[in-house]
Amino acid sequence: MRLEGIYSLVESKGILKEINFDFNEGKLYYVVVENEKTGVNMFDIIGLVSPIMRGKYIINGVDVSGFSYRAKTEIRREYIGFLFKEILLDNDFNVFDNVLIPLINNKKLEKKKKEEKVINYLKKYNLDDLMEKYPKNLSANERQMVSLVRALINDPHFILAYEPTDLLSENEEKEFYEALKKITKLNIGVIIITRKVLYKEYADEIYWYENKLM
């Protein structure tokens, strides 16, 4: 995945410009920004949500920057799993159903296979005892670990995260970063957008993005 000279309009109020990153599967990256506004907008740009005015967004040798919103949605579903600062789980669904949600539109798997996959992933991350619980009954750490499994359930090439441990304690924070680093061993790239570098030793590359919001 490569971003070359990207300029992107931000909420009709300004432009993030000169975005140049190379991301490879199996590595952990920090993209360090100066403030939250830039971080949120960078998350949307790398996540193929914000429109690209100029530049190239290359995946597997193909520039997808000019693709339609629907085509970009399909690319996101296949290539990128998302981790949000706010831990966005659906409070009306239990843990099992929350993790199942990204598989609903996966036409390659039958219903039974989807359910088996959810169970196997929850067991893999020692979360199977939480299957029937609802987000409101979980700790912040448990909710974010469930979010991580949900992000992984479609076997993405990359995990994109924005300040993923802001709501966790210091001990939980370190454990979560350890989990993110272990994911790279599965040949999945991890991209963390943040205002501060935590556990620098886990990084394969650190990009410092100067706030160029105009």
Side-chain angles (χ1 to χ4, degrees):
M1 180 190 293
R2 187 165 73 251
L3 286 73
E4 296 181 357
I6 286 179
Y7 283 58
S8 182
L9 184 65
V10 177
E11 299 174 351
S12 302
K13 298 177 182 178
I15 298 171
L16 281 185
K17 64 177 184 176
E18 298 175 16
I19 300 172
N20 296 283
F21 303 132
D22 273 295
F23 301 119
N24 294 305
E25 296 166 22
K27 293 187 176 182
L28 189 147
Y29 299 87
Y30 288 100
V31 176
V32 186
V33 296
E34 291 183 347
N35 55 59
E36 183 166 0
K37 184 177 182 180
T38 300
V40 170
N41 290 315
M42 184 67 73
F43 183 86
D44 286 345
I45 291 166
I46 297 176
L48 277 174
V49 176
S50 292
I52 295 171
M53 298 170 59
R54 195 167 81 196
K56 297 179 180 181
Y57 193 127
I58 299 171
I59 294 178
N60 284 347
V62 178
D63 180 9
V64 302
S65 60
F67 281 23
S68 68
Y69 185 82
R70 178 176 292 183
K72 288 179 180 177
T73 298
E74 291 300 319
I75 292 169
R76 286 197 301 272
R77 184 177 295 123
E78 179 179 354
Y79 275 87
I80 306 172
F82 294 88
L83 276 177
F84 302 95
K85 174 181 176 180
E86 297 85 0
I87 312 182
L88 299 179
L89 295 176
D90 193 317
N91 290 318
D92 293 327
F93 294 123
N94 61 23
V95 166
F96 178 89
D97 289 332
N98 264 285
V99 177
L100 182 64
I101 288 172
L103 290 174
I104 289 176
N105 293 320
N106 188 330
K107 298 178 181 179
K108 298 178 182 179
L109 295 176
E110 297 177 354
K111 181 180 178 181
K112 185 177 180 181
K113 292 293 184 182
K114 292 176 182 178
E115 292 174 346
E116 289 176 352
K117 188 173 186 180
V118 171
I119 292 171
N120 289 336
Y121 268 64
L122 288 171
K123 285 182 177 179
K124 181 177 180 178
Y125 289 90
N126 299 314
L127 298 171
D128 47 308
D129 58 333
L130 304 180
M131 255 189 279
E132 300 301 322
K133 291 189 175 182
Y134 286 78
K136 66 179 181 180
N137 297 320
L138 303 179
S139 68
N141 184 50
E142 289 171 336
R143 292 199 304 274
Q144 194 61 308
M145 283 302 300
V146 171
S147 297
L148 178 58
V149 173
R150 183 182 62 180
L152 290 167
I153 198 67
N154 262 328
D155 303 313
H157 296 247
F158 292 90
I159 293 293
L160 175 63
Y162 174 61
E163 304 285 21
T165 60
D166 260 19
L167 300 180
L168 308 186
S169 69
E170 186 174 343
N171 287 338
E172 291 170 341
E173 188 174 66
K174 183 170 178 58
E175 289 178 3
F176 195 79
Y177 270 85
E178 288 174 350
L180 291 176
K181 185 61 178 177
K182 287 179 181 177
I183 287 169
T184 64
K185 305 303 181 184
L186 303 174
N187 202 35
I188 297 172
V190 176
I191 305 165
I192 302 167
I193 300 171
T194 182
R195 287 165 292 168
K196 56 187 181 297
V197 176
L198 298 173
Y199 311 108
K200 185 177 180 180
E201 64 271 21
Y202 294 154
D204 292 289
E205 185 87 39
I206 300 175
Y207 293 116
W208 301 86
Y209 181 78
E210 181 184 351
N211 183 12
K212 297 178 179 176
L213 190 61
M214 299 172 61

